[in-house]
Amino acid sequence: MRANGRPLNTTSTSLTAVRNLGILAHVDAGKTTITERILFATGAIHKRGEVHHGTTVTDYDPQERDRGITIFAAAVSCAWGGHHVNLIDTPGHVDFSDEVERSLRVLDGAVAVFDAVAGVEPQSETVWRQADRHGVPRIAFVNKLDRAGADLDTAVASIRRRLDVVPLVVQLPIGQEDDFTGVVDLVTMRALRWRTGSADFDSGPVPEPLREEAGRRRRLLEETVAELHAEALEEFCADSALSDGTLARALRELTLWGDGVVVLCGSAYRNRGIEPLLDAVVAYLPAPADMPPVRGTADGAEQERAPDPAEPFTALAFKVTATATGRLTYLRVYAGTLRKGATVLDAATGRTERVGRILRVQADRHEDREEAVAGDIVAVIGLKSARAGTTLCAPGAPLVLEPPTVAEPVVSVAVEARGNADTGRLATALARLAEEDPSLVVRSDPESGQTVLSGLGELHLEVAVEKIRRGHGVDVVVGRPQVSYRETVVRGVTGLVHRHVKQDGGAGQFAHIVLDVEPLEEPAFEFRSTVVGGRVPQEYARAVEAGCRDALVAGPLGGYPVTGLRVTLTDGATHSEDSSEMAFRAAGRFGLREALRLSTVELLEPVVEVTVSVPEDGVGGVLGDLAARRGRVSGQATEAGSAVITATVPLAELFGYASRLRGRTQGRGVFTTRPAGLAPVPASVAGGLPAR
């Protein structure tokens, strides 16, 4: 049988019958396999694909199939138990975390996947924190219970310890490792056993050998829920137990509030546990109707729109891709109704555009629709200027939504066309890449004249360059990777006076400003004005801020961008005829440059947290190599028979580390990284760095 009966072929437009969710995890935890099994279980596909065969629906890009990892977030949809499920399979590699960020911005819920052997891995912790920032409710799925060394309790303990959450385990595995055949549902106290070689399963009473353990775990679940949920506590105190209905309702509410995380388990590769996971998605994760009204700004005032098809149309673009059928703009519709042929407003720029087609997306396949309503995730064709983060509205009801944040690039390479004839095509390809992926930045080096492509890691840039070669047919030459350094203020200056006076015939320029510059603890820039008495009008103060931002592009040490400072405009003066916004912007730019030259400034470099897993006999060599790379070891433990070393290492020292690690460990060592911010560059190293 299938849980919830046979999947439906129809979808409901009711806001309570929609689920918008993402699949989040560390690389190789099984996200794409789970997505594939969900599509099969719901009848959206009729043949299961495999990652190692390159036949999955969501990993459709040639590079994804060649590398065996998810690179680009892919949207699919299916129906289950009368509910319509929009699902986004997100990347698990740290270099593509910006794809996860943009997806989480528009999702209502998520399934976090964990390896039953490894537990919480570095990138799974990273994406969990990303979901925390966006307030996305989650349930957890402990995958790969059929593996040697798999243990649900150990994985759950790592979830509790590393993610600082309360896991609410609702299943008990039947069998271990190769003998894993099913689960006991602790909410309904029924046993689900999957048939060998089949996706179908049988439901029956809990087996006699597991009844005592299942009862104990059900009791523990009830006690944990009662501690967190007031209504459940009342029933538990009155009856010394919770009914199935109260328990299920409390689990849903705790999930929506973020006070607990429902934990399920299974083996996606062996088709075990997918149907109960779908039931949990429907039962515990929110519908668009459960979400609060979306907030935005209009004419400087905060407004909100309810998730209602009758409200003015409001949507956020979160992804742009170029395909054979045209330029696809992916939208999350928060309010209102969008119809084919409608005119929409870019709320930030004031431009209007016409929507040519509306598509229901199934990875790389598309199905035309006449309209999209609140709660939908669709793609549209016809928009020429919309980018990721663009708010689209009904022309008569503008509202600007907060766009997804974009990670700052940390690695750069110089790129140029091998032949002069391809120079123009390379420029076009780079512009399209930056349009599709906001975390890729293209700039021209003013000294060398080279075109520099910057991204979030070596793999990120490798994929981008390969896309230029394959997708645009341009043969490119790539330089060695270089990290993106920053400069920061350690000790600032107070009361710096700068006068910008220019008189060369005609209208002159006059601006007088006084600046204080001080360091900030975080890598950011803040500007404020404390001028009183109207000595510097507000519009001129904004021009000074714009000029200061211009000055941050190149610092005094090596021409690297400047961050980690606060600039305060404390005083100033104007001229009745010669003062202008242009003059005060120039004063801000030249004044801050002068202030930075007088300040104490140091160089910063990106650092990453490296987690290395090696055999016990390889620990000494790995520790020595990390020390030679300026790494600081922060932890060492033994897990599943291997030594796990955690260290903070400058990103610049990790180029080529994969090959070195394989050589030192006879191919048995693996490592993962995640960003750990910026750290000062030692003087002995900073002196040898070239100017930007």
Side-chain angles (χ1 to χ4, degrees):
M1 64 173 288
R2 296 279 183 92
N4 260 352
R6 295 295 299 177
L8 301 179
N9 292 322
T10 59
T11 60
S12 171
T13 57
S14 169
L15 287 175
T16 60
V18 175
R19 298 292 184 272
N20 294 316
L21 69 138
I23 308 291
L24 313 175
H26 186 90
V27 65
D28 202 34
K31 297 181 311 300
T32 300
T33 301
I34 288 174
T35 304
E36 192 76 9
R37 299 306 190 260
I38 286 175
L39 294 176
F40 179 77
T42 57
I45 60 175
H46 302 289
K47 183 180 180 181
R48 297 185 295 268
E50 304 293 351
V51 172
H52 53 279
H53 291 156
T55 55
T56 58
V57 171
T58 52
D59 283 356
Y60 59 85
D61 186 272
Q63 289 202 69
E64 292 178 312
R65 295 184 170 180
D66 290 348
R67 298 175 186 270
I69 61 171
T70 299
I71 296 173
F72 309 106
V76 293
S77 60
C78 56
W80 182 256
H83 292 71
H84 185 85
V85 180
N86 293 313
L87 190 152
I88 297 181
D89 179 22
T90 65
H93 195 285
V94 64
D95 283 16
F96 308 105
S97 57
D98 205 58
E99 288 270 333
V100 183
E101 184 74 19
R102 284 182 276 128
S103 298
L104 283 170
R105 174 62 181 83
V106 300
L107 293 172
D108 299 329
V111 175
V113 182
F114 302 94
D115 188 307
V117 177
V120 177
E121 298 173 273
Q123 186 61 10
S124 51
E125 185 173 351
T126 298
V127 296
W128 187 274
R129 302 304 179 201
Q130 286 178 284
D132 279 343
R133 290 199 304 273
H134 290 280
V136 176
R138 279 141 284 168
I139 60 177
F141 184 78
V142 178
N143 192 27
K144 302 187 178 182
L145 274 178
D146 59 313
R147 284 185 59 194
D151 186 86
L152 175 62
D153 292 338
T154 302
V156 170
S158 73
I159 292 173
R160 180 185 291 107
R161 182 180 68 256
R162 296 194 59 175
L163 303 182
D164 193 27
V165 297
V166 179
L168 305 170
V169 183
V170 297
Q171 292 178 340
L172 168 66
I174 300 176
Q176 290 183 318
E177 301 179 351
D178 279 342
D179 295 327
F180 170 67
T181 58
V183 297
V184 174
D185 186 330
L186 299 178
V187 177
T188 62
M189 294 305 283
R190 299 285 291 175
L192 310 176
R193 288 179 180 272
W194 278 264
R195 303 167 193 166
T196 303
S198 172
D200 293 336
F201 62 89
D202 298 313
S203 175
V206 178
E208 180 63 35
L210 291 177
R211 285 183 185 174
E212 183 179 347
E213 179 65 13
R216 186 185 70 80
R217 293 190 179 231
R218 165 69 183 237
R219 180 72 177 182
L220 179 61
L221 176 62
E222 290 178 358
E223 291 174 350
T224 305
V225 167
E227 290 176 0
L228 301 171
H229 193 278
E231 181 184 340
L233 178 60
E234 289 183 11
E235 182 175 318
F236 189 80
C237 291
D239 303 334
S240 297
L242 296 180
S243 66
D244 293 357
T246 299
L247 179 58
R249 185 167 57 255
L251 288 171
R252 174 177 172 79
E253 291 177 355
L254 291 173
T255 300
L256 299 184
W257 300 338
D259 292 336
V261 177
V262 171
V263 180
L264 301 96
C265 60
S267 168
Y269 181 67
R270 295 197 181 184
N271 309 295
R272 293 167 188 170
I274 299 303
E275 292 86 355
L277 175 62
L278 281 164
D279 289 341
V281 164
V282 169
Y284 305 128
L285 291 180
D290 298 316
M291 305 303 291
V294 65
R295 293 179 178 271
T297 57
D299 297 325
E302 188 174 275
Q303 295 184 11
E304 57 183 35
R305 298 265 165 87
D308 185 344
E311 286 275 310
F313 171 70
T314 308
L316 184 71
F318 65 96
K319 183 178 176 69
V320 175
T321 60
T323 69
T325 58
R327 185 178 184 272
L328 287 183
T329 305
Y330 291 76
L331 305 179
R332 163 64 193 267
V333 182
Y334 285 101
T337 301
L338 176 67
R339 292 182 175 85
K340 186 170 68 173
T343 298
V344 296
L345 172 73
D346 181 333
T349 65
R351 297 194 191 99
T352 57
E353 295 195 76
R354 181 178 176 274
V355 175
R357 296 169 63 193
I358 302 174
L359 305 174
R360 172 76 69 191
V361 180
Q362 197 76 348
D364 58 340
R365 302 191 302 276
H366 314 121
E367 173 189 336
D368 278 283
R369 297 185 60 191
E370 292 299 315
E371 66 178 26
V373 299
D376 275 340
I377 293 178
V378 296
V380 298
I381 293 179
L383 305 183
K384 298 179 180 178
S385 60
R387 302 289 186 269
T390 296
T391 304
L392 300 172
C393 299
L399 186 72
V400 179
L401 304 179
E402 182 183 356
T405 58
V406 180
E408 282 200 24
V410 295
V411 182
S412 302
V413 292
V415 293
E416 62 180 34
R418 191 174 295 277
N420 291 333
D422 286 337
T423 302
R425 286 202 296 157
L426 174 60
T428 301
L430 288 170
R432 181 166 292 178
L433 277 179
E435 177 183 332
E436 294 182 358
D437 186 350
S439 60
L440 287 171
V441 176
V442 182
R443 65 176 177 85
S444 179
D445 189 301
E447 295 186 3
S448 65
Q450 290 179 307
T451 298
V452 178
L453 178 65
S454 303
L456 303 183
E458 283 186 276
L459 182 59
H460 191 205
L461 295 178
E462 283 179 22
V463 168
V465 169
E466 191 61 25
K467 202 168 184 180
I468 294 173
R469 289 173 176 147
R470 293 188 184 189
H472 300 272
V474 180
D475 190 10
V476 293
V477 179
V478 182
R480 293 184 59 189
Q482 301 289 332
V483 303
S484 298
Y485 293 96
R486 295 289 186 270
E487 299 180 25
T488 192
V489 173
V490 177
R491 186 171 63 251
V493 295
T494 302
L496 182 129
V497 178
H498 184 83
R499 290 168 59 89
H500 177 72
V501 181
K502 188 176 181 182
Q503 193 74 46
D504 53 2
Q509 293 184 27
F510 177 88
H512 175 94
I513 60 173
V514 181
L515 300 177
D516 288 350
V517 177
E518 57 185 318
L520 280 180
E521 290 186 4
E522 66 272 11
F525 169 69
E526 288 184 9
F527 179 89
R528 63 183 181 184
S529 173
T530 59
V531 179
V532 295
R535 293 176 60 81
V536 179
Q538 189 61 37
E539 62 269 23
Y540 290 169
R542 287 195 294 265
V544 173
E545 179 181 0
C548 289
R549 292 186 182 277
D550 294 340
L552 297 177
V553 173
L557 288 182
Y560 299 105
V562 184
T563 188
L565 72 160
R566 178 188 292 119
V567 175
T568 304
L569 177 64
T570 60
D571 201 0
T574 63
H575 187 277
S576 58
E577 295 181 2
D578 292 344
S579 289
S580 64
E581 290 185 23
M582 182 174 65
F584 273 87
R585 180 164 184 161
R589 180 169 64 253
F590 295 122
L592 183 54
R593 285 181 182 173
E594 181 181 353
L596 290 173
R597 286 195 296 270
L598 297 174
S599 300
T600 303
V601 180
E602 72 177 0
L603 202 61
L604 300 176
E605 63 181 343
V607 295
V608 295
E609 183 184 275
V610 181
T611 302
V612 187
S613 179
V614 296
E616 292 283 356
D617 58 3
V619 170
V622 169
L623 289 175
D625 189 40
L626 288 173
R629 296 173 185 269
R630 297 192 282 129
R632 291 183 293 107
V633 175
S634 56
Q636 185 174 337
T638 300
E639 295 181 7
S642 296
V644 178
I645 302 165
T646 305
T648 302
V649 186
L651 181 61
E653 301 290 348
L654 283 182
F655 296 139
Y657 182 61
S659 299
R660 184 64 174 265
L661 179 63
R662 284 195 296 268
R664 283 185 174 273
T665 61
Q666 292 79 48
R668 295 179 293 167
V670 295
F671 78 101
T672 58
T673 64
R674 65 171 179 168
L678 299 168
V681 180
S684 58
V685 177
L689 294 177
R692 180 182 176 189

